[in-house]
Amino acid sequence: MKLNIPPTKSNLLAMKEQLSISTNGYELLEEKREILVRELMYMVDEVHKLENAIDELISKAYPAFKSMLLLDGADQIERISKSIHYEFGMEEKNVVIGGMEFASLDVQIPERELFYSLIGTDANTDATIVKFFELLTLLTQMASIRTIVWRLADEVKRTQRRVNALDKMIIPQTKETKVYIESVLEERERENVFVLKALKKKVKDK
């Protein structure tokens, strides 16, 4: 559907300029969309790798915890858990992906420490705590990368909407309006030529 504007030479020039800008914009946005989609697929693949690593670690950590519960007893485990205390740092960071900045979370995992006495514990206790510490590390990595994936996916959607708007509405509408104005102006030109010829003939006949 063409724009409802007068078919003038100035509007024809405006349509040509808008069509050029819209076409260039479409090409740039399409290139941006492709880059973002590639980056998104890479990040999604990283998420899947982390998910597999987390699942694998969970399959080892929880059986180890059950074994620890049987060997040390619930009271001992509660005492150990109350003695463990870590300070986690957390800050917002900007990550550049595809030439764009995305806000994410950066969680600083502290160095693992021995908060409990070795008396009343065994190697299984240490191994279990190490596994859960590793699990916590992977989970914080997952939280960070998922934040980026969500925001990257939103940017892909926004870019896709803009690409669709240019491809399906703005560019076709501008082209149709341009063709319409050109046809009207050409028709006027033909009419002017016909009138001039008629006037010349009339003057000549006199």
Side-chain angles (χ1 to χ4, degrees), residues 47-114:
V47 167
H48 288 158
K49 289 178 182 177
L50 269 176
E51 286 175 342
N52 291 335
I54 288 171
D55 289 342
E56 183 178 352
L57 194 51
I58 286 175
S59 69
K60 296 176 182 177
Y62 280 95
F65 177 72
K66 289 180 181 179
S67 177
M68 177 182 171
L69 187 62
L70 291 173
L71 292 172
D72 298 338
D75 292 340
Q76 176 68 354
I77 290 176
E78 185 176 357
R79 282 193 293 272
I80 292 173
S81 66
K82 288 180 178 178
S83 68
I84 297 175
H85 179 71
Y86 285 104
E87 292 291 339
F88 292 87
M90 184 180 297
E91 63 181 9
E92 187 174 294
K93 66 175 181 179
N94 290 327
V95 179
V96 178
I97 299 176
M100 299 185 63
E101 280 195 356
F102 295 90
S104 180
L105 289 177
D106 184 26
V107 181
Q108 291 87 40
I109 300 294
E111 292 292 327
R112 192 170 59 85
E113 300 178 40
L114 182 65

Side-chain angles (χ1 to χ4, degrees), residues 16-75:
K16 287 181 178 180
E17 182 178 3
Q18 180 173 318
L19 183 58
S20 176
I21 293 172
S22 299
T23 302
N24 289 336
Y26 170 80
E27 291 172 355
L28 289 173
L29 283 172
E30 181 63 18
E31 183 179 350
K32 173 186 173 182
R33 186 193 67 81
E34 290 176 359
I35 292 172
L36 290 176
V37 168
R38 283 199 300 270
E39 293 290 347
L40 179 60
M41 296 306 294
Y42 170 78
M43 298 296 286
V44 168
D45 186 53
E46 291 299 301
V47 167
H48 288 158
K49 289 178 182 177
L50 269 176
E51 286 175 342
N52 291 335
I54 288 171
D55 289 342
E56 183 178 352
L57 194 51
I58 286 175
S59 69
K60 296 176 182 177
Y62 280 95
F65 177 72
K66 289 180 181 179
S67 177
M68 177 182 171
L69 187 62
L70 291 173
L71 292 172
D72 298 338
D75 292 340

Side-chain angles (χ1 to χ4, degrees), residues 185-196:
L185 293 178
E186 287 172 1
E187 181 63 28
R188 287 178 183 172
E189 187 66 25
R190 285 193 293 269
E191 289 176 358
N192 290 337
V193 170
F194 177 78
V195 170
L196 285 173

Side-chain angles (χ1 to χ4, degrees), residues 160-178:
Q160 185 64 61
R161 283 196 294 267
R162 293 170 67 187
V163 167
N164 289 342
L166 285 168
D167 185 42
K168 305 299 183 184
M169 185 177 68
I170 296 174
I171 291 177
Q173 190 177 55
T174 305
K175 282 183 177 178
E176 186 176 345
T177 305
K178 172 180 166 292

